[in-house]
Amino acid sequence: MDLAYGAEEEEFRARLREWLAAVLPTLPARPDPLDWPARRAYDCGWQRRLHDAGYADVHWDASPTQRLIFLEETELAGAPYVGANFVGLLHAGPTIAAEGTAEQRARWLPSILRGDDVWCQGFSEPDAGSDLASLRTRAVRDGDAYVVTGQKIWTSHAEVADWCELLVRTDPGAAKHRGISWLAMPMDAPGVTIRPLRTLAGSTEFAEVFLDEVRVPVENRVGEENDGWRVTMVTLSFERGTAFVGEVVACRRLLGELARTARENGTWDDPVLRRKLGRLSAEFQALWRLTQANVSEAQATGGVPGVGGSVFKLHYSHARQELYEAAAAVLGPDALDLDRDWTLDRLSSLSYTIAAGTSQIQRNIVAERILGLPKGR
Amino acid sequence: MDFRLTEDQRALRKGVRELLARLFDREALRAAVDAPSLDRELWRELGAAGFFALRVPEEEGGVGLGLPEAVLLFEEAGRVLLPGPLVATHVAAGVVPGASEGEVVVTDASEGLVAWLDEADVVLGSTEGAVPLRSVDPLTPLHRVPGIGGAGDEGGTRPQGRRPVAPTLPQRRDPHAPAGRTPTTGGAGVLPVADELVAVLLTAAEQVGSAEATTETAVSYAGEREQFGQVIGGFQAVKHLCAGMLVRAELARVAVRAAAVTGDPVEIAGAKLLADEAATGNARDCLQVYGGMGFTWEADVHLHLKRAWVRARLRLPAARAEEVVAEQL
């Protein structure tokens, strides 16, 4: 039970802090959130700086503790988010690194790390959400290519992506988990149509991707044919690991801001609200400790975070939504003003109990894989 | 940083679990419920095993371990619903003569309540005018101390100029007790933690143990009880209750253990808050998973729930804990 960081870890932190202090003031102004090409350029520019400073592969090769420190320090310093490079750095990249051939790793990984190529994710379909394995996008072998037809949904950054990590059905006769393959699809291939999807926050965070006889070379398949489900699970366990470190740090900061606002506008005198903020603060502190516990476990067991991430996500997503409910109580009429960041963030937070596995699916995972209760409905 | 238990800590936890399985099994628990009295023999055995002297320095005849280890002990005590003023006696060890060895039973007045007053040899804090109440928990006899810890003391309407503060050292009634020793968390460079804070933290650790026990009990029952031709643990409605229990228990556990490492008063208050919620919430959900059986005297679930209510009330109740945490925002 040691919460103190070692000398090597502290040195990593000090070096990173120094670099952030030097580089952040030199960054260009943040782009308009609705200007996707500008956002891509900004995010890739940041990734290039990370790359040149030796931090590009912090999500892959660094120890879990270093990753924790990296995410904590970049958030504390107000550094840009991973943004458009999320799928490349946290989904597709780690999958290719773990499951790809030497040629595939050499072909795709350097451009991800340099911030040259942006990846998006083609997993979910209109009829395959939580039940992802029931996906129906078909890939039919034709010589040295697959011919892909179907529809994907919830694809972030589709309009500005170069590549898509795509799950397709290659054997419709097999059991649903056994007939899936993982393909890298160029987004400029003929037959790819992108339609932006407007969210309840009013912005177009996602897109639908329509695939009409798109030819994808067989050499773009990572892992064996029909082994794509297992290949994908590598990716998903990355998604549910240290992915929320920055968010917990951000929540603690947001709570501090909220308390300041409440003291200024008098809502702090409401004991119910004040205590609610106290409780949330205790919860985010505990979530931080849970993160450290998960990282300690990952560090000891070889790096791939386990189902402990589900425990974390269940409470975190709920607590963060509660934070915005408390914020609405503090802000009063301002909580209805779309020009306030809090209002848009409150709207965005509605996705947290749905995205990356709904809370209901997470509870199934916890009950079945940690508590050992039987599968069933 | 490695937040996992060390080899020694794992061995300690295993040892305590085995000790308590021997000293206080389910049969002993139910016997104690039927005839509640403080078992002096058990108390001495706990003393001999170092339960009370755990944090007393070795040069003073103690075990010389720190708060993280103490937390592991009290988690185990909470799991099996070990009765008696364990926290008060543990905190008094090394200060009140005989407490370390389990020869002397120490209790204290806290939040307008005194547990085990009639059985204790030494009482810390004022118990003037204490009157017995018919305790909801069959294994925690309680006295009420008038004028303290009432509804008006919850911080609901904060009087002008009064700021909520983390609890401080209580006044000792024993005039012969050596003054000034404050237990430490054992780590280098960590500030000493006042006795009252230690009491809050160890009570929280008991809550964590209880929350884990009720989670395991509920999961085990859900895996055996059959309705509609299948075990009820296969139904999502039941599964999701159990998953929620695990989340609460895990969050409380890391909060309590981290607070034991840092000794930070605000972190301790926050940990108590989450531990109370885990213990009471999980006992409630366990009762629900048990269905009709959960409502019986025979099932142990109600014992966990009632003790959790007592522990939640006895040290830094939720409303004040929330104020303590809010104050530093």
Side-chain angles (χ1 to χ4, degrees):
Chain A
M1 256 192 260
D2 184 6
L3 289 170
Y5 294 92
E8 203 178 307
E9 291 157 350
E10 287 297 1
E11 195 195 312
F12 175 81
R13 186 193 295 277
R15 230 168 358 101
L16 174 61
R17 215 176 255 192
E18 198 181 325
W19 179 74
L20 286 168
V23 76
L24 292 182
T26 70
L27 291 185
R30 300 231 174 196
D32 177 347
L34 298 177
D35 184 345
W36 288 96
R39 280 177 65 167
R40 178 196 155 119
Y42 183 83
D43 294 344
C44 289
W46 171 240
Q47 179 59 26
R48 184 57 187 259
R49 284 168 201 259
L50 286 171
H51 173 268
D52 293 347
Y55 293 113
D57 59 350
V58 73
H59 300 292
W60 306 356
D61 277 354
S63 74
T65 309
Q66 282 183 335
R67 198 153 60 233
L68 174 84
I69 292 169
F70 176 84
L71 293 166
E72 183 186 13
E73 289 297 327
T74 46
E75 176 61 38
L76 285 172
Y81 296 108
V82 62
N85 294 301
F86 184 87
V87 172
L89 289 169
L90 289 154
H91 289 245
T95 303
I96 295 164
E99 299 288 331
T101 62
E103 291 76 22
Q104 288 173 331
R105 291 200 299 271
R107 178 179 176 199
W108 286 311
L109 298 187
S111 63
I112 292 176
L113 293 173
R114 270 200 314 272
D116 290 343
D117 279 348
V118 166
W119 286 64
C120 63
Q121 190 180 69
F123 283 9
S124 298
E125 298 179 5
D127 290 328
S130 291
D131 182 15
L132 182 60
S134 70
L135 60 91
R136 289 200 304 232
T137 292
R138 284 278 285 127
V140 180
R141 187 83 175 252
D142 178 27
D144 59 359
Y146 290 104
V147 179
V148 182
T149 300
Q151 183 190 347
K152 295 292 177 180
I153 195 168
W154 315 126
T155 305
S156 306
H157 301 106
E159 301 103 299
V160 294
D162 305 290
W163 292 91
C164 179
E165 56 163 342
L166 193 68
L167 286 183
V168 294
R169 188 155 300 283
T170 35
D171 182 357
K176 66 178 182 178
H177 294 91
R178 300 236 168 86
I180 294 170
S181 299
W182 193 106
L183 304 179
M185 178 183 77
M187 287 299 281
D188 59 0
V192 177
T193 307
I194 298 160
R195 193 166 79 193
L197 197 59
R198 197 167 183 215
T199 71
L200 57 74
S203 57
T204 51
E205 297 292 324
F206 306 110
E208 291 175 287
V209 179
F210 297 88
L211 306 168
D212 182 17
E213 299 194 350
V214 180
R215 291 186 72 84
V216 179
V218 171
E219 64 187 29
N220 286 17
R221 189 191 69 228
V222 169
E224 294 302 310
E225 188 170 275
N226 299 326
D227 195 28
W229 184 256
R230 188 192 58 76
V231 169
T232 303
M233 282 301 114
V234 175
T235 317
L236 289 183
S237 55
F238 270 94
E239 178 174 356
R240 287 164 195 167
T242 48
F244 297 102
V245 171
E247 277 84 345
V248 178
V249 176
C251 282
R252 295 203 291 178
R253 190 192 69 232
L254 288 171
L255 204 52
E257 280 175 25
L258 203 56
R260 267 195 301 284
T261 306
R263 283 190 167 102
E264 281 162 20
N265 73 12
T267 47
W268 188 256
D269 294 334
D270 172 359
V272 174
L273 185 52
R274 189 172 66 232
R275 285 189 216 155
K276 176 79 196 161
L277 295 179
R279 175 168 291 266
L280 281 169
S281 178
E283 290 181 28
F284 284 116
Q285 178 66 13
L287 283 166
W288 177 248
R289 297 309 190 189
L290 184 58
T291 303
Q292 290 180 309
N294 285 345
V295 166
S296 298
E297 202 60 49
Q299 179 94 26
T301 55
V304 178
V307 280
S310 290
V311 172
F312 179 91
K313 185 180 181 288
L314 270 169
H315 195 84
Y316 161 74
S317 52
H318 175 74
R320 184 143 196 191
Q321 289 178 346
E322 291 278 299
L323 170 64
Y324 290 109
E325 292 314 300
V330 170
L331 295 172
D334 284 348
L336 303 177
D337 181 355
L338 283 171
D339 283 331
R340 304 283 295 220
D341 285 348
W342 283 102
T343 310
L344 277 177
D345 291 346
R346 183 189 187 192
L347 291 172
S348 297
S349 79
L350 297 170
S351 74
Y352 296 164
T353 44
I354 300 169
T358 63
S359 291
Q360 286 67 36
I361 287 292
Q362 300 289 355
R363 287 192 192 97
N364 283 353
I365 291 172
V366 168
E368 290 164 13
R369 296 197 212 154
I370 301 180
L371 296 176
L373 288 169
K375 282 184 176 270
R377 303 291 173 251
Chain B
M1 180 201 66
D2 187 353
F3 196 17
R4 295 173 310 148
L5 301 190
T6 62
E7 281 299 322
D8 286 349
Q9 287 167 340
R10 269 200 294 273
L12 175 72
R13 185 179 60 175
K14 183 165 175 281
V16 178
R17 190 169 291 190
E18 285 165 3
L19 176 79
L20 293 182
R22 187 164 56 76
L23 292 182
F24 196 70
D25 59 9
R26 179 159 192 274
E27 209 175 307
L29 169 69
R30 297 310 303 209
V33 170
D34 292 341
S37 69
L38 207 137
D39 184 346
R40 293 280 175 162
E41 187 54 36
L42 172 69
W43 212 253
R44 273 188 289 271
E45 294 232 39
L46 289 172
F51 194 94
F52 302 119
L54 188 85
R55 290 178 310 114
V56 176
E58 279 179 284
E59 55 271 24
E60 293 173 30
V63 184
L65 292 173
L67 263 188
E69 286 77 19
V71 154
L72 297 179
L73 244 59
F74 279 83
E75 284 178 15
E76 295 303 316
R79 287 178 75 93
V80 298
L81 289 166
L82 193 64
L86 298 160
V87 169
T89 303
H90 178 98
V91 171
V95 180
V96 174
S100 281
E101 297 79 15
E103 298 294 338
V104 169
V105 175
V106 184
T107 190
D108 64 347
S110 173
E111 306 293 337
L113 291 165
V114 194
W116 297 96
L117 180 60
D118 292 340
E119 308 259 4
D121 306 311
V122 175
V123 185
L124 304 176
S126 169
T127 56
E128 209 179 305
V131 287
L133 56 80
R134 221 157 63 78
S135 175
V136 66
D137 176 12
L139 271 177
T140 314
L142 289 170
H143 279 69
R144 181 89 171 80
V145 184
I148 315 164
D153 199 39
E154 303 226 346
T157 48
R158 193 140 49 98
Q160 201 79 37
R162 189 184 142 230
R163 297 164 73 84
V165 287
T168 51
L169 205 68
Q171 294 300 305
R172 295 190 182 286
R173 197 168 80 171
D174 181 0
H176 305 295
R181 188 186 73 82
T182 45
T184 68
T185 61
V190 180
L191 291 171
V193 182
D195 288 0
E196 182 58 25
L197 274 175
V198 172
V200 170
L201 181 67
L202 296 182
T203 306
E206 290 184 300
Q207 297 285 59
V208 167
S210 172
E212 290 179 348
T214 47
T215 305
E216 288 166 20
T217 307
V219 169
S220 152
Y221 187 76
E224 288 167 10
R225 167 77 175 166
E226 290 188 20
Q227 288 287 274
F228 303 101
Q230 67 167 78
V231 295
I232 61 171
F235 294 114
Q236 282 190 337
V238 175
K239 236 184 237 186
H240 288 192
L241 271 182
C242 295
M245 293 170 76
L246 182 83
V247 171
R248 279 198 293 258
E250 286 281 298
L251 202 66
R253 190 164 55 90
V254 294
V256 165
R257 289 185 180 176
V261 173
T262 65
D264 177 74
V266 174
E267 191 153 21
I268 289 175
K272 176 64 164 48
L273 201 52
L274 298 182
D276 287 346
E277 194 162 289
T280 54
N282 284 12
R284 280 287 291 106
D285 285 352
C286 181
L287 201 155
Q288 188 69 23
V289 169
Y290 260 65
M293 280 306 294
F295 195 62
T296 66
W297 188 264
E298 183 193 329
D300 295 341
V301 188
H302 71 106
L303 300 174
H304 276 284
L305 180 58
K306 291 165 178 174
R307 189 78 66 86
W309 282 344
V310 170
R311 294 193 200 104
R313 187 64 244 176
L314 196 58
R315 314 263 176 202
L316 195 63
R320 270 223 332 285
E322 285 169 347
E323 292 283 7
V324 168
V325 182
E327 191 61 26
Q328 56 80 51
L329 269 173

